[in-house]
């Protein structure tokens, strides 16, 4: 009884892995703008040439502003131009993107009800 669901699950895992084996979320030699978002990878910090989990200049109480991989007390006010990813970053970002399974992520985000203001909650009567 357990063997059938496990084999179906493994078949699906390998099917997705093969599907994305030759696809890329990031291309070699392509410039990306600051804060370019890649599902499952994060936000491109053009000044550093690397994708991070947090957006450029994201603010968190008690931590400060996030830029170039660290929290700082002040935001970075530079005008950051698009740039090429750093050496090895294309491969790392593509591996993370494939692992995240773009189809599943797109399905998830396609079902999120935003109510027009970016929230991920469903509005109920009286609220």
């Amino acid at each position: 009884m357990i063997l059938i669901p496990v084999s179906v699950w493994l078949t699906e895992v390998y099917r997705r892995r093969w599907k994305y084996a030759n696809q890329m979320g990031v291309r070699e030699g392509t410039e990306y703008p600051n804060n370019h978002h890649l599902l499952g990878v994060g936000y491109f910090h053009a000044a550093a040439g690397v994708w991070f989990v947090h957006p450029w200049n994201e603010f968190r109480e008690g931590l400060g502003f996030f830029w170039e991989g660290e929290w700082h007390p002040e935001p970075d006010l530079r005008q950051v131009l698009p740039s090429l990813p750093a050496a090895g970053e294309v491969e790392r970002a593509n591996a993370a993107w494939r692992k995240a399974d773009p189809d599943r992520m797109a399905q998830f985000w396609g079902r999120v009800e935003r109510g027009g203001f970016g929230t991920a909650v469903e509005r109920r009567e009286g609220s």
Side-chain angles (χ1 to χ4, degrees):
M1 292 287 191
I2 293 176
L3 186 58
I4 292 173
V6 169
S7 75
V8 168
W9 175 76
L10 282 174
T11 302
E12 180 64 17
V13 167
Y14 284 107
R15 182 193 66 75
R16 286 194 315 264
R17 194 171 287 169
W18 282 106
K19 177 180 179 181
Y20 295 111
N22 294 318
Q23 293 185 17
M24 295 181 279
V26 178
R27 300 215 178 271
E28 191 84 40
T30 301
E31 287 188 338
Y32 292 93
N34 200 38
N35 262 350
H36 173 81
H37 184 253
L38 184 62
L39 281 174
V41 181
Y43 299 85
F44 185 65
H45 291 205
V50 178
W51 271 266
F52 292 102
V53 173
H54 303 291
W56 184 269
N57 277 337
E58 178 177 309
F59 177 75
R60 296 269 177 101
E61 192 70 43
L63 294 174
F65 296 87
F66 189 82
W67 46 276
E68 291 190 21
E70 296 180 6
W71 295 98
H72 301 270
E74 300 294 326
D76 186 348
L77 301 177
R78 292 179 288 171
Q79 293 295 317
V80 181
L81 298 174
S83 70
L84 294 171
E89 186 61 10
V90 170
E91 292 81 18
R92 186 195 73 79
N94 281 324
W97 177 76
R98 287 181 194 112
K99 185 176 180 183
D101 191 347
D103 284 345
R104 282 185 142 177
M105 295 181 78
Q107 289 171 0
F108 170 79
W109 288 110
R111 290 189 306 260
V112 173
E113 173 61 45
R114 298 191 184 284
F117 294 99
T119 61
V121 295
E122 184 177 331
R123 183 162 187 193
R124 300 189 193 280
E125 194 171 326
S127 61

